[in-house]
Amino acid sequence: MFNFGSKILVLFLVTFPCGQMSFGQVSAEESAEDIAPHATVDEEEEDELLVEEDQVPGSESEDDFDEDAAVGDVTSHPDADTTIIFVTGEEFPANEIAKFLVGFTNKGSQDFTVHSLEASFRYPQDFQFYIQNFTALPLSTVVQPQQQASFEYSFIPAQSMAGRPFGLVILLNYQDSEGNGFQMAIYNQTVTIVELEEGLDGETMFMYIFLTGLVVLAIFGMYQVLDSRMRKRLPVKVETGTGGKNDVDISWIPQETLNIMSKASASPKASPRKRTKRAAGVDQ
Amino acid sequence: MRVLYVFALLALLGQGTGEEGARLLASKSLLNRYAVEGRDLTLQYNIYNVGTSAALEVELSDDSFPPEDFGIVSGMLNVKWDRIAPASNVSHTVVLRPLKAGYFNFTSASVSYLAQEGGHVVVGYTSAPGQGGILAQREFDRRFSPHYVNHSSFQTIGMVIVDFSQRPLTKLPVKSLDTTSFKGFSLFVLFSAL
């Protein structure tokens, strides 16, 4: 039904968007080259564009990961270098002390005064949202030219944070001899708080003992129920005692005594069985 | 692909402008929970090498403890290491004895090393524990000692008082003595013992 022309038209319509896509790739490549010097390797940083453009990326920090200043208006001084080492390890167990050492090198010719060191947990998808802000450590340490200083900091992630990822941001605030404030983000990555696998602890042990007790109780209860059901089928023998006159066999008593007894049965005094009236404290 | 090449080049440049050689981070910390005058105070120094080569002729010296305020029980405040390998750490412990109570500012010790063979000496400072209080012996004992004398004296005086209070007061030979004077006598015994 379709003639050859309409087939050509359909073919062109199908291939036309693919052609557009290839053009798009070329243009993206060109723009990517322009922004490459300012891009970060890992997470998106919204303040990226606010970082001063004239800074050379290599001098920002000597770490392998490109790090930007977390706050837009203060940046890091090119003469200051920092390193960090986590003394307690790269893993952060919940409710355990995590300690790290920060090293600060003054490569310049003027004094630096290091003011404070602070750490915080941020929302991993948005580093501007603070989840927990740890106490800032006030340092107020002067670092002279061509010298280094170390600072120790420790914090404890809360137990409820176990198993969740957080953005850990460690900032160092310092100023130069003229009083200009600077801030350097020493660590700016997402970490996951791990939960330590505990072995046998008191709580678990007592829980098992309690469960064992419950099971024993259940078994005992079932035994009792079954036992009571079994017993109902057997006749119950009840002791009644000697009630009426016919239950007792008096044939072993000699005849003379029996005669006396039968005579005395007329008067209630002789046979205690036949006394119906009972009077206490009456002399007869 | 070209983007990747640019990134790789920048990464190499970044490495190039970074430091080569050794880089030492040092921490100084107190291992005691309480610093008490006349009792041992333990200090630990840890030095970590985070650089790419070994640190040579490392010297740790701590002169922040005046000899008249701190006596050295064991360890030395000036230590030398020939070499600290990269990605390794060393630690050093010193036991001191504070001779005076009061506030003391624990400041940094200094570490000097050669980052590379034949390089210049790099001076660094350890972390400082900060200001801490050194408790007097009496204050520490008040809180943590077994208080044997206090407990035993309380027991004896208490027994004395209870003994006196149990005596039947109506059957005293001297009738002029009343109960108030006996209570006064017990209180006198208690307070005089303290």
Side-chain angles (χ1 to χ4, degrees), chain A residues 25-269:
Chain A
Q25 262 181 355
V26 167
S27 60
E29 226 180 9
E30 285 170 41
S31 62
E33 274 179 58
D34 287 336
I35 64 171
H38 304 290
T40 51
V41 181
D42 30 29
E43 297 100 13
E44 300 157 34
E45 188 66 20
E46 278 137 32
D47 285 329
E48 207 177 285
L49 300 169
L50 298 173
V51 172
E52 290 178 2
E53 298 288 327
D54 52 348
Q55 271 194 335
V56 181
S59 70
E60 254 187 292
S61 71
E62 79 288 12
D63 292 356
D64 291 340
F65 318 101
D66 268 338
E67 274 139 10
D68 297 328
V71 183
D73 46 346
V74 287
T75 58
S76 54
H77 199 284
D79 283 343
D81 268 356
T82 56
T83 47
I84 184 169
I85 178 169
F86 286 95
V87 173
T88 45
E90 292 289 327
E91 284 199 339
F92 299 93
N95 213 21
E96 301 283 331
I97 296 176
K99 207 190 286 189
F100 60 86
L101 265 182
V102 171
F104 181 87
T105 309
N106 186 353
K107 293 188 301 190
S109 54
Q110 52 173 343
D111 283 355
F112 276 114
T113 309
V114 179
H115 274 303
S116 63
L117 177 62
E118 58 195 24
S120 56
F121 275 138
R122 315 274 181 97
Y123 190 59
Q125 279 82 37
D126 176 13
F127 270 56
Q128 299 308 306
F129 187 83
Y130 283 71
I131 291 179
Q132 183 173 11
N133 204 359
F134 292 105
T135 308
L137 182 68
L139 294 167
S140 307
T141 311
V142 175
V143 184
Q144 284 165 357
Q146 304 300 319
Q147 284 191 350
Q148 299 173 347
S150 305
F151 308 110
E152 192 181 45
Y153 190 93
S154 56
F155 63 93
I156 300 178
Q159 178 65 43
S160 55
M161 289 179 167
R164 291 162 57 186
F166 294 96
L168 175 63
V169 176
I170 301 172
L171 300 171
L172 189 72
N173 299 303
Y174 56 99
Q175 59 180 203
D176 61 5
S177 50
E178 283 128 34
N180 302 318
F182 296 94
Q183 185 179 69
M184 181 175 277
I186 303 165
Y187 193 83
N188 200 5
Q189 290 178 24
T190 307
V191 301
T192 308
I193 312 295
V194 299
E195 187 170 342
L196 284 178
E197 286 295 326
E198 281 176 45
L200 190 69
D201 59 330
E203 211 174 58
T204 321
M205 192 179 70
F206 277 110
M207 187 185 77
Y208 285 129
I209 291 174
F210 178 69
L211 285 175
T212 316
L214 277 182
V215 166
V216 167
L217 184 69
I219 291 171
F220 185 69
M222 280 192 333
Y223 173 74
Q224 278 287 87
V225 166
L226 287 172
D227 213 23
S228 62
R229 280 189 191 169
M230 287 291 291
R231 289 221 182 137
K232 272 185 190 171
R233 291 177 200 167
L234 302 168
V236 178
K237 290 189 178 175
V238 179
E239 174 66 48
T240 54
T242 52
K245 260 206 278 187
N246 298 330
D247 287 347
V248 179
D249 180 24
I250 55 170
S251 59
W252 58 276
I253 300 176
Q255 195 55 40
E256 310 86 59
T257 321
L258 277 177
N259 294 338
I260 295 168
M261 275 174 67
S262 58
K263 280 185 195 167
S265 69
S267 83
K269 292 179 207 173

Side-chain angles (χ1 to χ4, degrees), chain B residues 36-37 135-145 147:
Chain B
V36 187
E37 162 200 8
L135 292 171
Q137 183 69 31
R138 215 189 122 127
E139 283 174 44
F140 183 77
D141 280 348
R142 186 181 298 161
R143 210 169 147 193
F144 296 105
S145 71
H147 299 287

Side-chain angles (χ1 to χ4, degrees), chain A residues 29 32-33 36-37 39 58 62 64 81 83-85 87 101-105 107 144 146-152, chain B residues 1-3 6-7 10 14-15 17-19 23-29 48 50 113 122-128:
Chain A
E29 226 180 9
E33 274 179 58
E62 79 288 12
D64 291 340
D81 268 356
T83 47
I84 184 169
I85 178 169
V87 173
L101 265 182
V102 171
F104 181 87
T105 309
K107 293 188 301 190
Q144 284 165 357
Q146 304 300 319
Q147 284 191 350
Q148 299 173 347
S150 305
F151 308 110
E152 192 181 45
Chain B
M1 277 308 284
R2 291 178 69 174
V3 178
V6 170
F7 273 136
L10 279 169
Q15 287 279 59
T17 56
E19 293 172 26
R23 177 79 170 90
L24 293 185
L25 296 175
S27 78
K28 168 178 165 177
S29 55
Y48 301 85
V50 296
Y113 62 101
V122 179
V123 176
Y125 291 94
T126 66
S127 67

